[in-house]
Amino acid sequence: MFLFIQNIVSAQFSERNLSPEKWQFKNIKEKEWLTAKVPGTVHLDLMDHNIIPDPFKDENEKKVQWIENEDWEYQTRFTISPKELGNQHIDLVFSGLDTFSEIFLNGKLLAKTDNMFRKWEIPVKEFLKEGENELKVKFKSAVKEGKKLAEKVPFTMPESPRSFVRKAQYQFGWDWGPRLVTAGIWKDVKLEFWNRAKVNNIQVQQHTVTNSLAKISFNMEIFAEEEGEYYVGFNINRGTYRFILKKGLNTIAVPYTIKNPKLWQPNGWGNPNLITTKITLYKYKGGWVIKDSEVRYGLRTVELVQEKDEKGKSFYFKVNGKPLYAKGTNWIPGDSFSPRMTREKYRQLIKDTREANMNMIRIWGGGVYEDDEFYKACDENGILIWQDFMFAGSFYPADDHFLNNVKEEVKDQVLRLQNYPSIALWCGNNEIDEAIVNWGYQKQFKYSKNDSLQVWKDYRKLFHETIPNTLKESLTPDKNIYWPSSPSIGWGHKESLTEGDSHYWGVWWGEQPFEIYNDKVGRFMSEYGFQGMPSLEAVKFMFSGTPELKLQNPVVKAHEKHSRGWEIINGYMNRDYKISEDFIKYNYISQLLQARGMKIAVEAYRRAKPYNMGTLYWQLNDCWPVVSWSSIDYLGNWKALHYQMKRSFEQQAILTEEKNGILNFYAVNDGLDKFDDVSIEIRALNFEGKILSDISSVPDGKVLESVLKLDPVEIETLIPVADKNKTFLQLILKDGNGKIIAQNIHFFSKPNEMKLTKPNLQVKQISPTEIELSTNVLAKDIYLMGDTHFSDNFFDLLPNTSKKILLSKPLDKVEVMSLWDALR
Ligand code: BMA
């Protein structure tokens, strides 16, 4: 009897994480083993032992470049109990190995790996023994391996050997990131014990989803060792279903209907409702559990709509049947060393997108398929995901081995990510179509006609055949939206503004003034951006010792990775502000400059709704302390840009457009409810607060649904034209009941043309974590300084007004300045 019970208990699936075991590592050339962390990377382990300095500090990046040319090994010893060994099947599972490795168990070579993005599952029962076992993983230099692969291609590939290795491409250095080509066991390692049958996949398929009814099914893939009767139980309806499984692989589908379901809604449209269902596989009805599983999902529909119109072709998402205006940003990896990312960091960054009124984020293709914590956070915050596959800005090979490797990668990632309701679209790559067509590599590397043809053929094979075909096999139809490349057409071509998604880089790369954004409005802007400095705290973080806050300091210089970064920033700064010699002022103005550029862009795009239906600025975050396009720096501090995006992405907005002495007004509403009988108040004030004119439109039954163009006004009727640099407009949009829907401020001149007067700024401490700011005259771009998060910052305070601000943690003293101080 005792034996029988034990048998039943051990029949259940179980797993054991091997990551917390005692791991060691060493350079293959060395003798001595050192302690190591799993998940981790060789750089992090070397840092832990003070063998290398922190590459994020000083100019240390240079000092650690030797690591990429070395081979490394990791090992651990772990004990297996007789009970564990008693299981019928034991699999060794690596969720991620970076990248070229050989896995040895008790001296036996089990597998060779060559793709960081794949999961490696190896049956090991026959190689394990009772008591101590030794697991070893040897890593070969990815750079050297990549070079060998590159030799097989008869022409030079751009940035070779980066694209030959299935490894996070940003590790090879980017225009915002250091070159840190690492190696290691970057995800968990575990043993899985199972008996009789194994559940390989549970897929939640949505057949129909409406507000009144959801018809879904749980599609399960089960491997059964023997033919026979099995049972599947669900916690949702307490139902148990009987199945006859054949020996080998089986797919079964259990239909399920939900009346009046609570749909998953994107941020701004309601709650992102999620459902968790427990599914149990039994050998006998009500007994002998083989596997307990849990799936979390959300009920929603997503469609990508592309319809021909007089200008080109639309490009927008319908979510739960309604057109969604997508507002958001682009995501790069949150750290040069991915295993260092924490659940808290993911949660905070995604919360920050929600707080800034975003509803979409694009995972850029030069990083990694993100950790589950990222997707969970997006699911919970109503943030839709544009998911790139991990290919970026180069040419890629397409030999059989490479294609097969990618195919397995796609399958593994889809299996892991398929049930997250936040994923809206799968995109083949970042800027590869554009690179082939526009970047001139073929000329640079002297390609023959055949070489160029080969590149295009390989491109088609990978992004128009292998990936979409694998997606079709792996995903349920309700989740399968595929877009080969972002952008679909490069920004040099006029079609990039009439169809598809668009990356507009005329600003920054093309060095055109910000105002060009008003003319370059595409259907869906998936990238555009401008660099700004990180917070002062992040600048200080660049130094291992006492920071020297000077632009000429080599450490500061080394933390700008764009070859012409400083030059471009200064060009724009000179145009709209002033280049200050003072570091703090320069830092502040550089952030304002970035925010100003993006405000102009976002407002131009939103005014163009529904022609334009999406705006994702480049980029949300950083992977180290750096001057970059990000709105949040490496330490998590909001730059001026993030505060600005929060304002610019408000669900309702009142926007202006100045053209030939006329002001046009656009009321925009991205919410689901309309506003009846809207009216606008326009007040012209000088910087001292004197009201120069005040007009209120009479409500005349106009309904604001999505966009409403209000009556234009001649500027001359509001202010004397000569006063353009001393005045501003305060705009208030109201609904029929007089409730404020949206507000904005319109300035007539560039910041450096404004005749600002010195504000008398008062800071009153209300409590340790609350202050009240007040001013007599216009205080433009108030900057609150200190190592804390301010509930608002980099904002304008109107004459004779005050504003309360919350601090995430108390400061001894809040220092404050405004644009007047910085432009003096
Ligand atoms: C876009 C991105 C990135 C790059 C950014 C800024 O092209 O896809 O590759 O970092 O521009 O240059």
mmCIF file of all heavy atoms in Angstrom, residues 473-494:
data_model
loop_
_atom_site.group_PDB
_atom_site.id
_atom_site.type_symbol
_atom_site.label_atom_id
_atom_site.label_comp_id
_atom_site.label_asym_id
_atom_site.label_seq_id
_atom_site.Cartn_x
_atom_site.Cartn_y
_atom_site.Cartn_z
ATOM 1 N N GLU A 473 1.878 28.006 -38.710
ATOM 2 C CA GLU A 473 1.801 26.668 -38.118
ATOM 3 C C GLU A 473 1.690 26.722 -36.592
ATOM 4 O O GLU A 473 1.137 25.822 -35.981
ATOM 5 C CB GLU A 473 3.073 25.869 -38.456
ATOM 6 C CG GLU A 473 3.154 25.442 -39.901
ATOM 7 C CD GLU A 473 4.595 25.125 -40.314
ATOM 8 O OE1 GLU A 473 5.442 24.844 -39.427
ATOM 9 O OE2 GLU A 473 4.875 25.184 -41.531
ATOM 10 N N SER A 474 2.241 27.768 -36.000
ATOM 11 C CA SER A 474 2.353 27.773 -34.542
ATOM 12 C C SER A 474 1.263 28.563 -33.834
ATOM 13 O O SER A 474 0.915 28.260 -32.695
ATOM 14 C CB SER A 474 3.702 28.359 -34.119
ATOM 15 O OG SER A 474 4.741 27.834 -34.887
ATOM 16 N N LEU A 475 0.769 29.606 -34.474
ATOM 17 C CA LEU A 475 -0.198 30.470 -33.792
ATOM 18 C C LEU A 475 -1.621 30.150 -34.220
ATOM 19 O O LEU A 475 -1.841 29.750 -35.361
ATOM 20 C CB LEU A 475 0.071 31.929 -34.165
ATOM 21 C CG LEU A 475 1.113 32.737 -33.398
ATOM 22 C CD1 LEU A 475 1.243 34.101 -34.028
ATOM 23 C CD2 LEU A 475 0.756 32.869 -31.921
ATOM 24 N N THR A 476 -2.568 30.419 -33.330
ATOM 25 C CA THR A 476 -3.963 30.294 -33.746
ATOM 26 C C THR A 476 -4.280 31.518 -34.621
ATOM 27 O O THR A 476 -3.668 32.575 -34.469
ATOM 28 C CB THR A 476 -4.891 30.278 -32.517
ATOM 29 O OG1 THR A 476 -4.597 31.414 -31.700
ATOM 30 C CG2 THR A 476 -4.693 29.018 -31.711
ATOM 31 N N PRO A 477 -5.255 31.382 -35.555
ATOM 32 C CA PRO A 477 -5.510 32.466 -36.512
ATOM 33 C C PRO A 477 -5.862 33.801 -35.835
ATOM 34 O O PRO A 477 -5.517 34.858 -36.351
ATOM 35 C CB PRO A 477 -6.706 31.959 -37.332
ATOM 36 C CG PRO A 477 -6.812 30.514 -37.058
ATOM 37 C CD PRO A 477 -6.091 30.206 -35.800
ATOM 38 N N ASP A 478 -6.502 33.744 -34.671
ATOM 39 C CA ASP A 478 -6.903 34.990 -34.008
ATOM 40 C C ASP A 478 -5.711 35.789 -33.483
ATOM 41 O O ASP A 478 -5.857 36.940 -33.097
ATOM 42 C CB ASP A 478 -7.862 34.679 -32.852
ATOM 43 C CG ASP A 478 -7.270 33.662 -31.881
ATOM 44 O OD1 ASP A 478 -7.003 32.524 -32.309
ATOM 45 O OD2 ASP A 478 -7.056 34.014 -30.713
ATOM 46 N N LYS A 479 -4.538 35.177 -33.443
ATOM 47 C CA LYS A 479 -3.360 35.872 -32.910
ATOM 48 C C LYS A 479 -2.360 36.180 -34.012
ATOM 49 O O LYS A 479 -1.353 36.814 -33.761
ATOM 50 C CB LYS A 479 -2.663 34.991 -31.864
ATOM 51 C CG LYS A 479 -3.511 34.630 -30.673
ATOM 52 C CD LYS A 479 -3.481 35.729 -29.629
ATOM 53 C CE LYS A 479 -4.515 35.537 -28.546
ATOM 54 N NZ LYS A 479 -4.401 34.265 -27.852
ATOM 55 N N ASN A 480 -2.646 35.680 -35.213
ATOM 56 C CA ASN A 480 -1.616 35.717 -36.239
ATOM 57 C C ASN A 480 -1.712 36.952 -37.133
ATOM 58 O O ASN A 480 -2.309 36.924 -38.199
ATOM 59 C CB ASN A 480 -1.685 34.431 -37.068
ATOM 60 C CG ASN A 480 -0.517 34.315 -38.028
ATOM 61 O OD1 ASN A 480 0.384 35.158 -38.034
ATOM 62 N ND2 ASN A 480 -0.547 33.295 -38.853
ATOM 63 N N ILE A 481 -1.122 38.047 -36.686
ATOM 64 C CA ILE A 481 -0.995 39.228 -37.533
ATOM 65 C C ILE A 481 0.497 39.420 -37.767
ATOM 66 O O ILE A 481 1.260 39.590 -36.807
ATOM 67 C CB ILE A 481 -1.589 40.485 -36.858
ATOM 68 C CG1 ILE A 481 -3.076 40.269 -36.575
ATOM 69 C CG2 ILE A 481 -1.378 41.710 -37.742
ATOM 70 C CD1 ILE A 481 -3.749 41.435 -35.876
ATOM 71 N N TYR A 482 0.899 39.344 -39.019
ATOM 72 C CA TYR A 482 2.322 39.423 -39.336
ATOM 73 C C TYR A 482 2.599 40.583 -40.282
ATOM 74 O O TYR A 482 1.852 40.831 -41.227
ATOM 75 C CB TYR A 482 2.793 38.114 -39.980
ATOM 76 C CG TYR A 482 4.259 38.136 -40.358
ATOM 77 C CD1 TYR A 482 5.238 38.133 -39.368
ATOM 78 C CD2 TYR A 482 4.661 38.178 -41.698
ATOM 79 C CE1 TYR A 482 6.590 38.172 -39.702
ATOM 80 C CE2 TYR A 482 6.016 38.206 -42.039
ATOM 81 C CZ TYR A 482 6.973 38.204 -41.034
ATOM 82 O OH TYR A 482 8.310 38.240 -41.361
ATOM 83 N N TRP A 483 3.651 41.297 -39.994
ATOM 84 C CA TRP A 483 4.082 42.438 -40.805
ATOM 85 C C TRP A 483 5.579 42.249 -41.030
ATOM 86 O O TRP A 483 6.328 42.175 -40.054
ATOM 87 C CB TRP A 483 3.782 43.718 -40.010
ATOM 88 C CG TRP A 483 4.007 45.008 -40.719
ATOM 89 C CD1 TRP A 483 4.919 45.968 -40.376
ATOM 90 C CD2 TRP A 483 3.291 45.516 -41.844
ATOM 91 N NE1 TRP A 483 4.816 47.033 -41.235
ATOM 92 C CE2 TRP A 483 3.834 46.776 -42.145
ATOM 93 C CE3 TRP A 483 2.255 45.016 -42.646
ATOM 94 C CZ2 TRP A 483 3.377 47.556 -43.212
ATOM 95 C CZ3 TRP A 483 1.799 45.785 -43.696
ATOM 96 C CH2 TRP A 483 2.346 47.038 -43.969
ATOM 97 N N PRO A 484 6.034 42.140 -42.284
ATOM 98 C CA PRO A 484 7.409 41.695 -42.515
ATOM 99 C C PRO A 484 8.505 42.603 -41.957
ATOM 100 O O PRO A 484 9.506 42.115 -41.442
ATOM 101 C CB PRO A 484 7.510 41.611 -44.037
ATOM 102 C CG PRO A 484 6.114 41.575 -44.543
ATOM 103 C CD PRO A 484 5.270 42.275 -43.529
ATOM 104 N N SER A 485 8.344 43.930 -42.085
ATOM 105 C CA SER A 485 9.459 44.785 -41.676
ATOM 106 C C SER A 485 8.950 46.128 -41.191
ATOM 107 O O SER A 485 8.001 46.681 -41.735
ATOM 108 C CB SER A 485 10.389 45.006 -42.874
ATOM 109 O OG SER A 485 11.560 45.692 -42.469
ATOM 110 N N SER A 486 9.604 46.648 -40.159
ATOM 111 C CA SER A 486 9.282 47.991 -39.692
ATOM 112 C C SER A 486 10.491 48.867 -39.937
ATOM 113 O O SER A 486 11.569 48.553 -39.436
ATOM 114 C CB SER A 486 8.943 47.947 -38.201
ATOM 115 O OG SER A 486 8.651 49.242 -37.728
ATOM 116 N N PRO A 487 10.414 49.943 -40.732
ATOM 117 C CA PRO A 487 9.229 50.400 -41.437
ATOM 118 C C PRO A 487 9.043 49.580 -42.718
ATOM 119 O O PRO A 487 9.985 48.949 -43.186
ATOM 120 C CB PRO A 487 9.605 51.837 -41.794
ATOM 121 C CG PRO A 487 11.074 51.768 -42.060
ATOM 122 C CD PRO A 487 11.593 50.756 -41.061
ATOM 123 N N SER A 488 7.846 49.678 -43.278
ATOM 124 C CA SER A 488 7.617 48.953 -44.522
ATOM 125 C C SER A 488 8.300 49.673 -45.683
ATOM 126 O O SER A 488 8.750 49.036 -46.614
ATOM 127 C CB SER A 488 6.131 48.782 -44.772
ATOM 128 O OG SER A 488 5.442 49.976 -44.508
ATOM 129 N N ILE A 489 8.387 50.989 -45.592
ATOM 130 C CA ILE A 489 9.028 51.778 -46.654
ATOM 131 C C ILE A 489 9.905 52.839 -45.982
ATOM 132 O O ILE A 489 9.483 53.481 -45.025
ATOM 133 C CB ILE A 489 7.956 52.457 -47.544
ATOM 134 C CG1 ILE A 489 7.036 51.389 -48.171
ATOM 135 C CG2 ILE A 489 8.594 53.317 -48.638
ATOM 136 C CD1 ILE A 489 5.769 51.914 -48.764
ATOM 137 N N GLY A 490 11.108 53.015 -46.490
ATOM 138 C CA GLY A 490 12.055 53.952 -45.883
ATOM 139 C C GLY A 490 11.617 55.410 -46.010
ATOM 140 O O GLY A 490 10.883 55.765 -46.932
ATOM 141 N N TRP A 491 12.134 56.245 -45.085
ATOM 142 C CA TRP A 491 11.623 57.612 -45.002
ATOM 143 C C TRP A 491 12.001 58.517 -46.167
ATOM 144 O O TRP A 491 11.449 59.600 -46.326
ATOM 145 C CB TRP A 491 11.977 58.260 -43.669
ATOM 146 C CG TRP A 491 13.433 58.435 -43.349
ATOM 147 C CD1 TRP A 491 14.232 57.521 -42.716
ATOM 148 C CD2 TRP A 491 14.259 59.566 -43.602
ATOM 149 N NE1 TRP A 491 15.497 58.018 -42.570
ATOM 150 C CE2 TRP A 491 15.544 59.287 -43.098
ATOM 151 C CE3 TRP A 491 14.036 60.821 -44.201
ATOM 152 C CZ2 TRP A 491 16.608 60.184 -43.177
ATOM 153 C CZ3 TRP A 491 15.107 61.718 -44.270
ATOM 154 C CH2 TRP A 491 16.368 61.398 -43.776
ATOM 155 N N GLY A 492 12.907 58.039 -47.011
ATOM 156 C CA GLY A 492 13.260 58.839 -48.182
ATOM 157 C C GLY A 492 12.215 58.743 -49.295
ATOM 158 O O GLY A 492 12.247 59.492 -50.264
ATOM 159 N N HIS A 493 11.279 57.798 -49.158
ATOM 160 C CA HIS A 493 10.297 57.576 -50.226
ATOM 161 C C HIS A 493 8.943 58.146 -49.834
ATOM 162 O O HIS A 493 8.501 57.957 -48.704
ATOM 163 C CB HIS A 493 10.151 56.077 -50.501
ATOM 164 C CG HIS A 493 11.452 55.430 -50.880
ATOM 165 N ND1 HIS A 493 11.831 55.236 -52.181
ATOM 166 C CD2 HIS A 493 12.468 54.976 -50.104
ATOM 167 C CE1 HIS A 493 13.043 54.673 -52.197
ATOM 168 N NE2 HIS A 493 13.441 54.504 -50.953
ATOM 169 N N LYS A 494 8.277 58.790 -50.792
ATOM 170 C CA LYS A 494 7.022 59.466 -50.427
ATOM 171 C C LYS A 494 5.932 58.479 -49.997
ATOM 172 O O LYS A 494 5.091 58.808 -49.177
ATOM 173 C CB LYS A 494 6.550 60.407 -51.530
ATOM 174 C CG LYS A 494 6.222 59.771 -52.870
ATOM 175 C CD LYS A 494 5.709 60.848 -53.838
ATOM 176 C CE LYS A 494 5.137 60.296 -55.122
ATOM 177 N NZ LYS A 494 5.955 59.297 -55.834
#
